[in-house]
Amino acid sequence: MASMQTLGGPSPGQSCVLILIFTVLLQSLCVAVTYMYFTNELKQLQNKYSKSGIACLLKEDDSSWNPTEQDDMDSPCWEVKWQLRQLVRKMILRTSEESISTVQEKQQSGPSLEGVRRVAAHLVGTSQRSTTSSAPGSNNEKVLGQKIKSWESSRKGHSFLNNLHLRNGELVIHQTGLYYIYSQTYFRFQETEETPGAISKAENRKKSKQMVQYIYKFTSYPDPIMLMKSARNSCWSKDSEYGLYSIYQGGMFELKENDRIFVSVTNEQLIDLDQEASFFGAFLVA
């Protein structure tokens, strides 16, 4: 009889396997139910927190915010406002630090050269020759030589004007400061054919050629003030057909608002006003 019962029922090993499988299924079911429960709760909590935060920002919550009261500190609305306040404070501090750093860098780097680039002029010669000689009784009676008025300032070639303007051959200053002023004039002498009897006169004329360049300024003072002059006295060879000479000078001077600077030369008829040869300019240094 015992052997027949043993053959008809499950063995102990099979029973253990069945119990193990049942236990695993039960645990899996419990884990699934628990996961679904907590997921649902977290979703509801997140929705509730988001709606509460949005309500705080949109002022849908009429309760006042007083961080000294424990009830308000425990509310989600207070937490949202506190986090927003911390974020704003952090951004303000970062912006302030960047601004201070930028100011310090500018102070350490020294004065900007932007003004130097903006206040400048370079005038070149033009073929339309126009000069004014010093005439007795005029305002220019104490100006030596003839003032050059044939300057090109309309950005043709290399010419330009920035925060200065040209009037009657004079550069008008608009900003007080220290300026570098420069000018070059190009002298070209072309010998004409002379008769044998006039050779001595031609030679005397060559010997008398003096090339002088002056730079003046007009101020509130009635008389013009000479800033610079440069001269050259050369004798052309008897066998030469022409002579070429250039005079350049430059220097730094303090100019005031409404001062006017200009160039004058002797023997104006010898000036070659080619734009690469004769020019006049100034720029603000400080």
Side-chain angles (χ1 to χ4, degrees), residues 14 16 18 21-22 31 42 55 57 75 94 131 137 170 239 242 265:
Q14 292 176 346
C16 291
L18 293 174
I21 293 174
F22 178 76
V31 171
L42 288 174
L57 296 177
S75 66
R94 180 181 298 177
T131 58
E170 303 169 353
D239 299 328
Y242 61 89
V265 294

Side-chain angles (χ1 to χ4, degrees), residues 259-270:
D259 284 354
R260 311 188 314 273
I261 56 177
F262 64 93
V263 179
S264 65
V265 294
T266 60
N267 287 306
E268 174 268 333
Q269 69 276 7
L270 302 180

Side-chain angles (χ1 to χ4, degrees), residues 127-147:
S127 58
Q128 296 178 355
R129 183 183 298 269
S130 176
T131 58
T132 301
S133 301
S134 300
S138 67
N139 293 331
N140 297 335
E141 61 182 358
K142 294 187 178 182
V143 175
L144 299 177
Q146 300 87 38
K147 181 174 68 173

Side-chain angles (χ1 to χ4, degrees), residues 33-51:
V33 172
T34 304
Y35 174 77
M36 294 176 62
Y37 172 77
F38 280 106
T39 301
N40 186 44
E41 289 294 325
L42 288 174
K43 186 175 181 180
Q44 292 180 359
L45 181 62
Q46 183 179 5
N47 292 336
K48 180 179 179 181
Y49 181 80
S50 300
K51 292 180 180 179

